[in-house]
Each structure stands twice: as C-alpha cells, then as structure tokens.
Amino acid sequence: MNRDKNHQIFSGGQAVVEALRIEGVKYVFGLIGSATMELFDSLYDTKDIKLIDVRDERTGAHMADGYARASGQPGIVIAGQNGPGATNLVTGIAQANAAFSPVISLAGDIASEHRGKDAFQEIDQQALFEPITKKTFSVKQTEKIPKILNEAFNLALTPRCGPVHVNLPRDILTNNANFAEFKKHQNNILPKASKDNLTKTIDIILSSSKPVIIAGGGIKNAQGGQEVIHLAKILNIPIVSSAGHGDALPFDESLYAGQMGPRGNPVASNLVKEADVILALGTRLGFNSTFFSYENINEQASIIQVDIEPKSLGRYFPITIGICADAKTAAIELYNEISLKKETIRINSWTKNFLDKRKAYLKKRDAEADFNPHLIQPSGFFKILRETLPKNSAVTLDAGTLCLQATDMLNFYHPRSLFTPLDFGLVGFSFACGLGVKLAKPDCPVISLMGDGGFGMTISELSTAVQHKINTVTIVMNNKSWGAEKAYQRDFYEKRYIGANIDSPPFDKVAELYGAAGFHVNKISELKDVINTALQCEKPAIINVDVDPSALYSFRTDSFKHKQKS
C-alpha cells in the first residue's frame, strides 16, 4: 500500500481492513475462502486486529453476536467464500437480528462481471440478507468501501441496534483505488421525551395504587439499571424485567422481582397481571414476555411505553402514552421531574405485599430443590449453580426446556451477564456465543449451558476455543433427547416418540481429544467440586452432566390447545 498526506492507494481488501482498524475493531471472526483472499491477506499485515478463525460461518456469527452484546461494540464476522459461505451465515445473522445485536457480516461475492450468469457458487446474496438485517449492501465500486463500512457501523450501532451485511465481490477486493482520509462513524443523537409526556406520565403513576416498571432490553443494553432503581425507589414501586433480560438489574436489588411473562417467575408475572399502571421502559412487550395475550398482562392497566423504535409503541397492546426515546434517559428525566415535587404519593401496601411474596418465592425455590442422589433433577442442578457460580459470571443459554428454566432459576448481578437466543429460539447458540462473550469480558467467568442436542451441533468450535485459548466452561445438560419436543410428544401426542431421542458420544472424552478439559457428572453431589475445578483449569472446559431424561417440561402449552382434553 502507498500512503501520503493527500491520498492512499489501497486494494479493496486493504481498504476494508483499514476501515475496521479506524473503527477500533479488536477481533474479527471468520472462515477463510477464495473469494476474500485479498481481505485475509490484508489482515495478516495488521497488528491491531486479531482473527479468530472459526470452523463454521454460523457459529462465527454467534461469536460475533456474543461479543457485540457483551461489549456494546459491533461484532465482525467474515464469510470468506461466496455462495455456501454466505448461506452458512444466515442462521447466525437471523439470530442477531432477532436479538437486535450489532453484528456486521462481510461476505465474499462472485466477480461483478459474472453476476447473473449462473456462475460457480452464485446466489443472490443481496436478496438473501435483506429480510434479516437492518440493511444489506453490495459494493459496486472499490472506492466506496470506506463510505459503506462507515454507514454499516452507524446503522448497526444506532438504537435499536441490529445486524448489517456487506457483500464484497472478488474484483472489488482486488482492485486498487485512491482513498481519502478514513474516518470513524458518527453516533446519532438519541430522541428524548417531551416535557408534556413526562408530566403526564408522572401524574398517571402518582394517581395509581398498583404501578409496576418493566425494564427491557433497552435498559439492559444501555446499562441503565441503576437509573431505573433510583426511579423505583423514589416511588417505592416494584420492577420486573422482560423475558431474556433478567440481568437488566441486579438480583439482590430489593424492589426487583425478576423476569416476567410465561417463562418468568410467578411473583414478577403476577405483578404485571395485577398492575393498574405499567411503565414499560425499553421493551416492545413482545412475544416471549406476553405471548401477545392478556393472560399475561392486565387488560385494564394504563400502559406508558418508552421505546427507541417508533413502530414498537402500541404495536401489540393499546397504550395510554407512547414515548419515542432512549429508555435510560427517560428514566433519568422522570426521576429528576419527580424529585422537584414537594410531595409524592409513595406506594406502600402494594409494594409491601410484593416484597413478602418475593421473599416467600425465593425461600420456596431453595426448599424445593431436589437433590435426588440417583437422577440429577433440574431444580437441584440450578440450586448448585446459584451457590457456586461467581457473582461476576456471564451465562449464555440455548433454547430448549432446560435452558428456558435457567432464565429465572439463576441469579444475575450485572448488566450484560445473560445471553439468550431471545425471540429466535435457537438451539446451538450458547457455546459459540460464550466464546465471543469471553473475548469481550476476559476477566469474567463465562458459563455456557446447553442440551446435548445443541452442543452436538456446534462441538467443532472446540478447535477454535483451544487454538485461541478462549477458556469458557460449557455445561451440557445431557438428557439424551430434544427435551422440549419430547415433552410435547409426552403431553399432547400420547407418547408417540419419533425423532426425539438422541445418542451422543461422551462429550467429556471428545473434549479431551480436542485438547480441552473434560468432566463427567452423574451424581448431584459431584457437581459443585467439578464446576470449581473447571473454572480454575485454564482451558476450555466441557462438563457432561447426566440429567434425568424424564425431567421434561412443556413450556408452549398455548400452542397445543387443540390437543388438550376437556
């Protein structure tokens, strides 16, 4: 490459790497391919960016997703090959889209002159990614690379965040061009609540007798938990979190009830079912939190919804006030306005009743933990995790019956410490996501929970973990089945089991063959010591835990009402 004060002559591949470097990117996740050799060759020359070479583009996208959510910075993933390399990205990018995660995916593409000629590995990558990204670009001129990547970073990081995809034809990466100065993207100014809406909101809350605050992903991602706590305390009202965001506030905050909704705990869920005013901060009130049903939210409640995305306001439930604003900023502004009032009506009986129920629930949760000495039960398993995992742990989860129970069976003390597939419901997410989280949070223990089916999908990334010394602890809750589906076959299809049972190799032994640490647990009494050993072993660790195959739970009973007997 040739540089002087007035111009810089780069190849397209060099320009991509220079743009990433200017943005402060530390890691890129990727799988090499012939379509992007110029790009990977340029990565070889940079000392600022480390390539985490993966074994599959899908899991590379999950790593980028975990890194993005944990760090608040974009996760970069490269599919080096056009066609199959790009299509392999799709599941990971769709997952990031459902989680509003700022992932930027770069994919090689066929040479511009071959487009539309049924060329080798040709597919319409523009059309493929448009439905699952905030925006998809296909670069047509080498000199436009910095401008397009600048816009990609801006879009990915502008709340509501989300993935952006860039297709890079071979000739665009190979061609040389003159480039002006590379610049870092500029953040957009976030909207704020109007004075009138703040005043109306406060008047409604102060006139209520059973108000509740829902803290959603907009609070968690902005790390606005303390601001919500200050607001709740000045009013003395309870807080719940939306589904999958149990880490929005610290577990030990007295006014925090935990996760609401069909998959939440009964205390938090009942608060939303009984409240007369709901202040929804940074949440769509979406499917996992409500199932779009008044069975999970009080139909008579006045809903005040604050969300950064205008189309989310009142989309699923009628609202009294809709405020398009940053939720953390709105919480601060509400607190400041209430602080100016000479008198506030503090909600006492409603909150005292909640505090009593919360205390009883937590006591019952511990008391009902089953420590069966022969078959490991989920309740005992989760109690051991609550007692053993360090408070600064980050936990990643899959979908599936056991992982869904974990969202409210575990305790979280810091924002960005719980990472789930959210509304995409993806199995095979957790292990790879945890590797990305660990790179973003190197000083925090990272524990990934999976079923045996999900881990079997992504086990090849043990090579990546060992090669790059990404030392997470993955606990495989091995019940020898696709547990959610087997539960539905048991409860609604007269135990006509088909495709639900799984045979797997001993994952602990497989881990050792990869160069990781492997552990096998078949007695609950062994679990705590094994977890502590794994956390200290200074290797990627896999703990294969034999869980009672009959300990299955049907979460989506709403989907099988047609099969239920009257």
Side-chain angles (χ1 to χ4, degrees):
M1 66 184 71
N2 180 26
R3 305 181 189 216
D4 64 31
K5 291 183 179 179
N6 299 316
H7 69 278
Q8 303 167 85
I9 300 176
F10 288 166
S11 71
Q14 291 167 337
V16 171
V17 172
E18 181 68 4
L20 297 179
R21 190 185 69 79
I22 292 296
E23 290 288 352
V25 171
K26 294 180 179 179
Y27 298 100
V28 296
F29 305 89
L31 183 63
I32 194 168
S34 60
T36 49
M37 294 305 294
E38 190 73 31
L39 195 165
F40 279 92
D41 187 66
S42 301
L43 280 171
Y44 183 90
D45 289 327
T46 182
K47 307 299 182 192
D48 301 328
I49 302 172
K50 182 175 181 180
L51 171 67
I52 305 297
D53 50 314
V54 302
R55 303 303 179 263
D56 186 87
E57 293 88 351
R58 169 197 164 172
T59 40
H62 296 333
M63 293 179 209
D65 185 355
Y67 181 86
R69 291 199 233 172
S71 68
Q73 299 301 313
I76 313 298
V77 59
I78 303 172
Q81 191 62 27
N82 54 280
T87 60
N88 282 348
L89 276 178
V90 168
T91 297
I93 299 305
Q95 166 60 64
N97 191 53
F100 306 108
S101 182
V103 171
I104 298 175
S105 53
L106 310 175
D109 204 351
I110 62 168
S112 302
E113 64 178 317
H114 293 161
R115 190 174 305 282
K117 297 180 179 178
D118 295 330
F120 179 65
Q121 297 184 330
E122 180 178 4
I123 189 171
D124 187 346
Q125 294 177 193
Q126 181 72 26
L128 184 68
F129 286 95
E130 280 180 343
I132 55 173
T133 59
K134 290 184 77 172
K135 189 167 183 177
T136 294
F137 297 89
S138 290
V139 184
K140 297 179 180 178
Q141 296 173 284
T142 298
E143 56 267 26
K144 294 291 182 67
I145 286 173
K147 181 178 183 296
I148 288 174
L149 288 181
N150 212 258
E151 188 174 348
F153 274 82
N154 182 277
L155 282 169
L157 287 170
T158 299
R160 177 171 297 146
C161 297
V164 177
H165 180 76
V166 182
N167 294 307
L168 295 157
R170 290 173 180 237
D171 52 304
I172 297 297
L173 291 174
T174 302
N175 291 344
N176 290 335
N178 286 330
F179 293 92
E181 182 182 2
F182 287 76
K183 295 181 180 179
K184 190 171 184 178
H185 80 280
Q186 297 296 312
N187 293 326
N188 291 331
I189 298 173
L190 301 179
K192 293 184 178 181
S194 69
K195 179 81 170 179
D196 182 54
N197 275 335
L198 291 172
T199 300
K200 289 178 180 178
T201 295
I202 292 167
D203 289 344
I204 291 172
I205 293 173
L206 293 180
S207 65
S208 69
S209 59
K210 296 186 291 183
V212 67
I213 297 172
I214 302 177
I219 291 297
K220 165 182 166 174
N221 295 333
Q223 301 187 80
Q226 288 304 315
E227 287 72 16
V228 174
I229 290 168
H230 294 327
L231 177 61
K233 284 188 173 178
I234 200 172
L235 296 166
N236 193 37
I237 61 176
I239 316 163
V240 303
S241 66
S242 61
H245 299 301
D247 56 335
L249 287 84
F251 164 79
D252 50 5
E253 166 51 47
S254 61
L255 289 175
Y256 179 42
Q259 179 179 266
M260 62 162 281
R263 294 161 180 161
N265 72 69
V267 176
S269 300
N270 286 333
L271 283 171
V272 182
K273 293 176 184 179
E274 297 170 5
D276 59 359
V277 170
I278 295 170
L279 176 59
L281 294 174
T283 172
R284 296 167 296 145
L285 300 174
F287 178 79
N288 271 347
S289 294
T290 65
F291 281 5
F292 304 141
S293 167
Y294 281 116
E295 292 181 7
N296 298 299
I297 190 169
N298 186 4
E299 188 171 4
Q300 307 305 316
S302 295
I303 299 175
I304 303 158
Q305 188 177 12
V306 182
D307 199 89
I308 199 74
E309 179 61 58
K311 71 179 182 182
S312 293
L313 299 174
R315 183 180 182 186
Y316 305 126
F317 298 94
I319 56 178
T320 304
I321 298 176
I323 301 174
C324 180
D326 172 60
K328 177 181 177 179
T329 303
I332 295 170
E333 291 174 332
L334 286 168
Y335 175 85
N336 291 339
E337 290 293 322
I338 293 170
S339 298
L340 296 175
K341 289 184 172 291
K342 293 182 180 179
E343 292 184 12
T344 61
I345 301 172
R346 288 175 59 81
I347 312 300
N348 291 315
S349 59
W350 163 251
T351 300
K352 183 181 183 305
N353 185 45
F354 146 67
L355 291 172
D356 290 342
K357 288 182 178 179
R358 176 69 172 164
K359 183 178 179 180
Y361 164 72
L362 294 175
K363 185 176 180 180
K364 181 181 179 184
R365 184 177 71 167
D366 280 343
E368 291 182 348
D370 187 341
F371 291 98
N372 186 315
H374 305 294
L375 293 171
I376 296 175
Q377 302 300 313
S379 59
F381 172 82
F382 290 128
K383 185 172 189 295
I384 294 293
L385 291 187
R386 292 196 296 271
E387 295 172 347
T388 309
L389 298 186
K391 283 191 173 183
N392 67 333
S393 295
V395 176
T396 70
L397 301 176
D398 257 21
T401 182
L402 290 171
C403 285
L404 285 171
Q405 292 177 61
T407 55
D408 210 76
M409 281 288 185
L410 301 181
N411 303 333
F412 305 98
Y413 295 89
H414 303 281
R416 299 180 184 170
S417 60
L418 170 62
F419 304 87
T420 80
L422 297 172
D423 288 1
F424 201 54
L426 181 65
V427 173
F429 167 77
S430 181
F431 171 45
C433 174
L435 300 181
V437 171
K438 183 65 176 178
L439 290 172
K441 293 174 168 280
D443 297 327
C444 294
V446 175
I447 294 87
S448 297
L449 299 184
M450 304 189 81
D452 45 322
F455 186 64
M457 286 181 175
T458 57
I459 194 171
S460 62
E461 294 303 344
L462 271 170
S463 290
T464 302
V466 170
Q467 177 184 343
H468 294 285
K469 298 180 172 58
I470 310 174
N471 298 338
T472 63
V473 175
T474 301
I475 304 178
V476 182
M477 300 174 288
N478 195 333
N479 60 7
K480 298 179 174 56
S481 67
W482 299 105
E485 288 68 28
K486 189 170 183 178
Y488 300 143
Q489 290 175 343
R490 179 196 64 192
D491 295 341
F492 304 108
Y493 291 88
E494 299 178 346
K495 300 182 180 180
R496 291 160 56 87
Y497 298 122
I498 179 171
N501 295 316
I502 300 173
D503 290 324
S504 300
F507 291 126
D508 51 305
K509 299 299 183 185
V510 175
E512 291 174 354
L513 291 173
Y514 273 98
F519 305 89
H520 182 212
V521 174
N522 58 16
K523 295 180 180 178
I524 193 74
S525 59
E526 303 168 344
L527 184 60
K528 182 176 289 191
D529 287 343
V530 168
I531 292 173
N532 283 325
T533 301
L535 287 168
Q536 301 298 323
C537 75
E538 298 186 353
K539 284 184 175 183
I542 307 300
I543 306 175
N544 188 22
V545 180
D546 294 338
V547 178
D548 183 359
S550 66
L552 303 174
Y553 183 79
S554 294
F555 272 96
R556 290 295 311 279
T557 55
D558 62 303
S559 292
F560 298 98
K561 288 181 179 179
H562 65 290
K563 301 291 291 186
Q564 295 178 13
K565 298 177 181 178
S566 59

